[in-house]
Amino acid sequence: MLAPENKKRILVLGIGNILWADEGFGVRVVEEFHRRYAIDDNVIVLDGGTQGLYLVSFLEQADCLIVFDAIDYGLPPGQLKLVRDDEVPKFTAAKKMSLHQTGFQEVLSAADLLGRRPRELALIGCQPLDLEHWGGPLTAPVRFQIAPAIELACKLLAQWESPAKPRTAPLPASERLLENNIDHANYEMRAQPI
């Protein structure tokens, strides 16, 4: 990740599994953020999906990290919670869908062991309603938090002196984060929300 000397290197990351209903929240937020906003060269927007430890190399290159994810905080479904810096690791051990899946807590720990964890961390988590519906869309309470989650990220980016700018023209299909039938409009919107 190359950045001008005076700019922080920022990673905006969405994680989760779009095949497990609300578990896909982080991916859907980062997808919508990328569609709606242009960012400076020092900011990388990444669909981290379920890549687990493969994400360590991206974290190593970042000074600041924003993560979108579905997190079981024990709150009412659809409620957002922003957690910062040293508080982030204890909230990233959310329910794993498989014994083989690496939690984001392990990704942060690996980057920390290498001595290259981002200095500033922000986790924008949304309380899920449904993590069991295979192939299901985001539930309504979670889907309605996509725009507020993006607003929180925009505030953080402005604080880190790299404000996001609303796009003046629609993003061409060739530049989307997700393609074919797995983007939000084609995959999730075809199903009836819970």
Side-chain angles (χ1 to χ4, degrees):
M1 184 184 308
L2 298 175
E5 295 277 329
N6 59 345
K7 291 263 195 172
K8 295 176 181 179
R9 297 167 302 170
I10 302 169
L11 176 61
V12 179
L13 177 66
I15 57 176
N17 187 336
I18 63 170
L19 300 178
W20 287 107
D22 290 340
E23 172 65 19
F25 173 76
V27 173
R28 295 310 184 197
V29 175
V30 81
E31 174 187 21
E32 184 66 11
F33 174 78
H34 178 68
R35 189 182 73 77
R36 291 177 44 199
Y37 288 92
I39 38 91
D40 293 334
D41 290 342
N42 62 305
V43 181
I44 298 290
V45 178
L46 181 66
D47 162 17
T50 58
Q51 294 182 52
L53 290 173
Y54 291 108
L55 296 172
V56 171
S57 63
F58 291 98
L59 268 65
E60 289 179 315
Q61 299 175 47
D63 299 310
C64 304
L65 171 66
I66 297 172
V67 180
F68 299 109
D69 196 8
I71 302 287
D72 187 359
Y73 294 115
L75 299 171
Q79 189 165 337
L80 285 180
K81 183 171 183 169
L82 171 64
V83 179
R84 300 286 301 266
D85 301 321
D86 291 339
E87 293 294 306
V88 171
K90 70 180 177 184
F91 286 102
T92 57
K95 179 179 180 181
K96 296 179 186 179
M97 303 309 294
S98 156
L99 292 174
H100 304 289
Q101 183 179 340
T102 303
F104 196 68
Q105 186 175 32
E106 287 91 350
V107 176
L108 282 174
S109 294
D112 199 29
L113 282 171
L114 295 168
R116 295 188 288 249
R117 188 182 91 172
R119 291 188 302 271
E120 296 183 68
L121 304 173
L123 169 64
I124 300 172
C126 184
Q127 177 68 42
L129 173 61
D130 180 11
L131 294 176
E132 305 296 331
H133 189 179
W134 172 255
L138 294 178
T139 60
V142 172
R143 188 174 60 252
F144 293 147
Q145 294 305 318
I146 291 175
I150 291 171
E151 288 175 26
L152 278 174
C154 287
K155 288 178 184 174
L156 289 165
L157 289 170
Q159 289 172 13
W160 292 336
E161 299 177 358
S162 294
K165 300 158 203 74
R167 293 188 187 277
T168 55
L171 192 64
S174 62
E175 293 182 35
R176 294 181 189 150
L177 286 181
L178 299 171
E179 296 181 10
N180 303 318
N181 292 327
I182 63 168
D183 68 303
H184 189 245
N186 287 307
Y187 178 74
E188 292 194 12
M189 302 310 280
R190 65 179 161 73
Q192 291 293 322
I194 293 176

Short mmCIF file of all heavy atoms in Angstrom, two decimals, residues 18-19 24 27-28 31 47 176-190:
data_model
loop_
_atom_site.label_atom_id
_atom_site.label_comp_id
_atom_site.label_asym_id
_atom_site.label_seq_id
_atom_site.Cartn_x
_atom_site.Cartn_y
_atom_site.Cartn_z
N ILE A 18 -21.18 -13.92 2.98
CA ILE A 18 -22.46 -13.50 2.40
C ILE A 18 -23.46 -14.64 2.25
O ILE A 18 -24.63 -14.41 1.98
CB ILE A 18 -22.27 -12.79 1.04
CG1 ILE A 18 -21.66 -13.74 0.01
CG2 ILE A 18 -21.47 -11.52 1.20
CD1 ILE A 18 -21.65 -13.20 -1.40
N LEU A 19 -23.02 -15.86 2.44
CA LEU A 19 -23.92 -17.01 2.31
C LEU A 19 -24.68 -17.31 3.60
O LEU A 19 -25.55 -18.17 3.61
CB LEU A 19 -23.13 -18.25 1.89
CG LEU A 19 -22.40 -18.15 0.56
CD1 LEU A 19 -21.62 -19.42 0.29
CD2 LEU A 19 -23.37 -17.86 -0.56
N GLY A 24 -23.01 -11.68 6.46
CA GLY A 24 -22.48 -10.94 5.31
C GLY A 24 -22.48 -9.43 5.48
O GLY A 24 -22.09 -8.70 4.55
N VAL A 27 -19.22 -7.40 4.48
CA VAL A 27 -18.95 -7.41 3.04
C VAL A 27 -19.92 -6.47 2.32
O VAL A 27 -19.52 -5.71 1.44
CB VAL A 27 -19.05 -8.84 2.47
CG1 VAL A 27 -18.93 -8.84 0.95
CG2 VAL A 27 -17.98 -9.73 3.10
N ARG A 28 -21.18 -6.51 2.71
CA ARG A 28 -22.17 -5.65 2.05
C ARG A 28 -21.92 -4.18 2.33
O ARG A 28 -22.13 -3.32 1.48
CB ARG A 28 -23.59 -6.05 2.47
CG ARG A 28 -23.99 -7.44 2.01
CD ARG A 28 -23.73 -7.65 0.54
NE ARG A 28 -24.21 -8.95 0.08
CZ ARG A 28 -23.83 -9.50 -1.04
NH1 ARG A 28 -22.95 -8.90 -1.83
NH2 ARG A 28 -24.30 -10.67 -1.41
N GLU A 31 -18.87 -3.09 0.23
CA GLU A 31 -19.30 -3.06 -1.17
C GLU A 31 -20.05 -1.75 -1.47
O GLU A 31 -19.79 -1.08 -2.47
CB GLU A 31 -20.20 -4.27 -1.44
CG GLU A 31 -20.84 -4.29 -2.81
CD GLU A 31 -21.85 -5.41 -2.95
OE1 GLU A 31 -22.37 -5.93 -1.94
OE2 GLU A 31 -22.15 -5.76 -4.10
N ASP A 47 -12.78 -6.18 0.24
CA ASP A 47 -13.73 -7.22 0.64
C ASP A 47 -12.88 -8.36 1.17
O ASP A 47 -12.29 -9.11 0.41
CB ASP A 47 -14.56 -7.66 -0.58
CG ASP A 47 -15.25 -8.99 -0.37
OD1 ASP A 47 -15.38 -9.44 0.79
OD2 ASP A 47 -15.67 -9.58 -1.37
N ARG A 176 -16.57 -2.74 -9.65
CA ARG A 176 -17.24 -3.17 -8.42
C ARG A 176 -16.35 -4.13 -7.63
O ARG A 176 -15.50 -4.81 -8.19
CB ARG A 176 -18.55 -3.87 -8.75
CG ARG A 176 -19.57 -2.95 -9.36
CD ARG A 176 -20.85 -3.70 -9.64
NE ARG A 176 -21.75 -2.86 -10.42
CZ ARG A 176 -22.63 -3.32 -11.28
NH1 ARG A 176 -22.76 -4.61 -11.48
NH2 ARG A 176 -23.40 -2.50 -11.94
N LEU A 177 -16.58 -4.19 -6.34
CA LEU A 177 -15.84 -5.14 -5.50
C LEU A 177 -16.31 -6.56 -5.74
O LEU A 177 -15.52 -7.49 -5.73
CB LEU A 177 -16.00 -4.79 -4.02
CG LEU A 177 -15.26 -3.57 -3.51
CD1 LEU A 177 -15.50 -3.39 -2.02
CD2 LEU A 177 -13.78 -3.65 -3.79
N LEU A 178 -17.62 -6.74 -5.92
CA LEU A 178 -18.19 -8.07 -6.14
C LEU A 178 -18.87 -8.07 -7.50
O LEU A 178 -19.52 -7.10 -7.87
CB LEU A 178 -19.20 -8.42 -5.06
CG LEU A 178 -18.65 -8.48 -3.64
CD1 LEU A 178 -19.78 -8.60 -2.64
CD2 LEU A 178 -17.70 -9.64 -3.50
N GLU A 179 -18.72 -9.16 -8.23
CA GLU A 179 -19.26 -9.21 -9.58
C GLU A 179 -20.28 -10.34 -9.72
O GLU A 179 -20.55 -11.09 -8.80
CB GLU A 179 -18.13 -9.42 -10.57
CG GLU A 179 -17.15 -8.26 -10.60
CD GLU A 179 -16.04 -8.47 -11.61
OE1 GLU A 179 -16.12 -9.40 -12.42
OE2 GLU A 179 -15.08 -7.70 -11.56
N ASN A 180 -20.77 -10.44 -10.93
CA ASN A 180 -21.69 -11.50 -11.34
C ASN A 180 -22.93 -11.51 -10.46
O ASN A 180 -23.57 -10.49 -10.29
CB ASN A 180 -20.99 -12.86 -11.38
CG ASN A 180 -19.79 -12.83 -12.30
OD1 ASN A 180 -19.86 -12.26 -13.38
ND2 ASN A 180 -18.69 -13.40 -11.87
N ASN A 181 -23.27 -12.66 -9.90
CA ASN A 181 -24.50 -12.76 -9.14
C ASN A 181 -24.30 -12.71 -7.63
O ASN A 181 -25.20 -13.04 -6.88
CB ASN A 181 -25.24 -14.06 -9.51
CG ASN A 181 -25.76 -14.00 -10.92
OD1 ASN A 181 -26.13 -12.94 -11.40
ND2 ASN A 181 -25.78 -15.13 -11.59
N ILE A 182 -23.12 -12.31 -7.16
CA ILE A 182 -22.92 -12.24 -5.71
C ILE A 182 -22.92 -10.82 -5.18
O ILE A 182 -22.81 -10.61 -3.99
CB ILE A 182 -21.66 -13.00 -5.25
CG1 ILE A 182 -20.41 -12.39 -5.83
CG2 ILE A 182 -21.78 -14.48 -5.53
CD1 ILE A 182 -19.13 -12.91 -5.20
N ASP A 183 -23.04 -9.82 -6.05
CA ASP A 183 -23.15 -8.47 -5.54
C ASP A 183 -24.52 -8.32 -4.87
O ASP A 183 -25.43 -9.11 -5.08
CB ASP A 183 -22.94 -7.44 -6.65
CG ASP A 183 -24.06 -7.45 -7.67
OD1 ASP A 183 -24.29 -8.51 -8.26
OD2 ASP A 183 -24.68 -6.39 -7.86
N HIS A 184 -24.65 -7.32 -4.03
CA HIS A 184 -25.85 -7.15 -3.21
C HIS A 184 -27.13 -7.11 -4.03
O HIS A 184 -28.10 -7.81 -3.72
CB HIS A 184 -25.71 -5.88 -2.36
CG HIS A 184 -26.77 -5.73 -1.34
ND1 HIS A 184 -27.68 -4.72 -1.37
CD2 HIS A 184 -27.06 -6.46 -0.23
CE1 HIS A 184 -28.50 -4.83 -0.34
NE2 HIS A 184 -28.14 -5.88 0.37
N ALA A 185 -27.15 -6.31 -5.08
CA ALA A 185 -28.38 -6.16 -5.87
C ALA A 185 -28.82 -7.48 -6.51
O ALA A 185 -30.00 -7.82 -6.49
CB ALA A 185 -28.18 -5.10 -6.94
N ASN A 186 -27.90 -8.24 -7.04
CA ASN A 186 -28.26 -9.47 -7.73
C ASN A 186 -28.48 -10.66 -6.81
O ASN A 186 -29.32 -11.50 -7.07
CB ASN A 186 -27.19 -9.84 -8.76
CG ASN A 186 -27.24 -8.93 -9.95
OD1 ASN A 186 -28.28 -8.76 -10.56
ND2 ASN A 186 -26.12 -8.30 -10.25
N TYR A 187 -27.73 -10.75 -5.73
CA TYR A 187 -27.82 -11.92 -4.86
C TYR A 187 -28.87 -11.76 -3.78
O TYR A 187 -29.79 -12.55 -3.66
CB TYR A 187 -26.45 -12.20 -4.23
CG TYR A 187 -26.47 -13.37 -3.28
CD1 TYR A 187 -26.56 -14.67 -3.77
CD2 TYR A 187 -26.42 -13.20 -1.92
CE1 TYR A 187 -26.59 -15.75 -2.90
CE2 TYR A 187 -26.44 -14.26 -1.05
CZ TYR A 187 -26.54 -15.53 -1.54
OH TYR A 187 -26.57 -16.60 -0.68
N GLU A 188 -28.73 -10.75 -2.96
CA GLU A 188 -29.59 -10.63 -1.80
C GLU A 188 -30.95 -10.04 -2.09
O GLU A 188 -31.94 -10.42 -1.47
CB GLU A 188 -28.91 -9.79 -0.73
CG GLU A 188 -27.72 -10.50 -0.16
CD GLU A 188 -27.23 -9.86 1.13
OE1 GLU A 188 -27.93 -9.03 1.69
OE2 GLU A 188 -26.14 -10.23 1.55
N MET A 189 -31.03 -9.11 -2.98
CA MET A 189 -32.28 -8.40 -3.19
C MET A 189 -33.33 -9.28 -3.88
O MET A 189 -34.49 -8.95 -3.89
CB MET A 189 -32.06 -7.11 -3.96
CG MET A 189 -31.09 -6.15 -3.26
SD MET A 189 -31.46 -5.84 -1.52
CE MET A 189 -32.75 -4.64 -1.71
N ARG A 190 -32.94 -10.41 -4.41
CA ARG A 190 -33.90 -11.30 -5.05
C ARG A 190 -34.72 -12.08 -4.04
O ARG A 190 -35.78 -12.59 -4.31
CB ARG A 190 -33.20 -12.28 -6.01
CG ARG A 190 -32.28 -13.24 -5.28
CD ARG A 190 -31.63 -14.22 -6.26
NE ARG A 190 -30.45 -14.85 -5.73
CZ ARG A 190 -30.44 -15.79 -4.80
NH1 ARG A 190 -31.56 -16.20 -4.28
NH2 ARG A 190 -29.31 -16.31 -4.38
#
